[in-house]
Each structure stands twice: as C-alpha cells, then as structure tokens.
Amino acid sequence: LKLHNITGIPIQYLFVNSNEKSNIIIQEDNKYKWNVCNSEYLLEKIDQMNNDYKIQLLDEKELRKINKLLLSNHTPENLDLLQKYHLTSNQILTGVHCPECNYLPMNYYAGTWKCPKCRFQSKTAFINALHDYFHIINPSITNAEARRFLQINSPKMAHYYLNSMDLNSTGKFKFKIYHQ
C-alpha cells in the first residue's frame, strides 16, 4: 500500500480458531489476546473492531481500487514444505484419507474408496490425496508415483484418476507427467 501512496489506513488482524475440538490458551498479560477468537464469536469480533473506528477513511471507489491493487499484486507463496520441516518424501504417510473420519488409508476396491474404520465409501476421495501430493511433495506426478501415493496397484486406474482431474500433462505413455 505504501508503494502506491495509500497510507493512514488502520490494519487489524485476527486469528480465528475454526477447530471446535482445539482450545487456545493465551496468557492474560499477552498483548495479542484481543486478536484471537473462536469461529462462533467471529461476527461479534468484527462488529467490535468496526466500532473502534467511527470515521470512514475510504469511499467505495477507493476500496475497489485497493481491492484491485491487492488482487493484481498477489503472489502466492510457494513453500517447499519438505525442506521447511526437514522431511523427506518417504516420511510422508501415503494413501487416501477418509473424508468422514480422517482414517488413513482407505481401501480401494472396484472403483470405490472404502474406509475400514467408519465404512464410508467414496468414488472421489482420491482427489484430496493428490492435491496433498502436489502441495507437499511435488507439483507434478507420474502414474507410478500416483500408484505409490494412493496405494493402488493398477496403472490403468491411476491413469483414469489422473485424467479425471483435467491436469495438464507432458510426455506420452510411460513417460507422461501430470502437472498441478
């Protein structure tokens, strides 16, 4: 904002805990304790922050300008998570997580992913696993890597699943590489 001569705007931040099962404990003397809330109190917290600023600093036109500016200058951070956490790809648990109970791995049988724990069945549970692969391990994948990661034996099924995601690809036949 400073680079585009937009100054004097108060910027607030807020950590919102969306996991109902977790509890965040902040010491009373911590200066950031007012910037943390559970998701059920989010709307109240936003109202409280709005009440702190009575004077409108920007009109709709200026807000749209800032919105376009932020979107056009956004550059997603491409973290190498394996390097950041000092891991190797062999240390990552493979398989398809159950979307219902998060059990790992689901079993693949006759075109369906089946959870041995909760008995949930899905035809598309593999999609999240492949997105995890792209974000954590590598932005591209081969048929053999997909079979290893999804824990399936059939090259034909891996090919079917990778093609069903409309991924860009390079190469042909056994040299084909699918890109995120």
Side-chain angles (χ1 to χ4, degrees), residues 106-167:
M106 292 181 82
N107 298 325
Y108 175 78
Y109 180 74
T112 303
W113 297 94
K114 299 176 182 181
C115 179
K117 184 177 179 189
C118 73
R119 308 266 187 250
F120 179 78
Q121 295 184 21
S122 171
K123 297 230 182 245
T124 59
F126 70 94
I127 294 173
N128 285 336
L130 289 175
H131 284 300
D132 289 345
Y133 181 93
F134 290 136
H135 291 296
I136 297 169
I137 297 175
N138 196 344
S140 61
I141 192 168
T142 64
N143 185 298
E145 291 165 338
R147 291 194 318 266
R148 185 188 69 76
F149 194 75
L150 297 175
Q151 297 184 7
I152 57 177
N153 296 323
S154 169
K156 197 175 200 176
M157 284 316 302
H159 174 78
Y160 172 78
Y161 283 141
L162 291 165
N163 281 335
S164 73
M165 292 179 64
D166 283 333
L167 301 168

Side-chain angles (χ1 to χ4, degrees), residues 27-95:
Q27 296 172 340
E28 272 303 307
D29 60 342
N30 189 313
K31 68 179 183 176
Y32 300 108
K33 71 180 181 180
W34 303 111
N35 300 88
V36 178
C37 75
N38 288 324
S39 57
E40 65 263 23
Y41 301 113
L42 176 60
L43 295 178
E44 292 172 29
K45 195 68 170 175
I46 290 172
D47 286 341
Q48 179 187 353
M49 289 174 143
N50 280 336
N51 289 334
D52 290 344
Y53 300 97
K54 299 287 185 197
I55 301 170
Q56 184 175 344
L57 297 175
L58 302 169
D59 60 21
E60 287 293 320
K61 183 179 177 183
E62 292 168 314
L63 285 173
R64 279 193 301 276
K65 176 185 171 188
I66 292 172
N67 183 39
K68 284 182 183 178
L69 182 69
L70 290 172
L71 289 173
S72 66
N73 286 286
H74 173 69
T75 52
E77 187 174 23
N78 292 322
L79 285 178
D80 184 342
L81 294 176
L82 295 178
Q83 182 180 1
K84 180 178 180 176
Y85 294 106
H86 309 290
L87 296 170
T88 66
S89 59
N90 294 335
Q91 293 172 298
I92 303 298
L93 297 175
T94 62

Side-chain angles (χ1 to χ4, degrees), residues 9-20:
I9 301 171
I11 297 176
Q12 292 287 328
Y13 60 92
L14 186 61
F15 173 82
V16 181
N17 175 26
S18 62
N19 186 344
E20 298 169 2

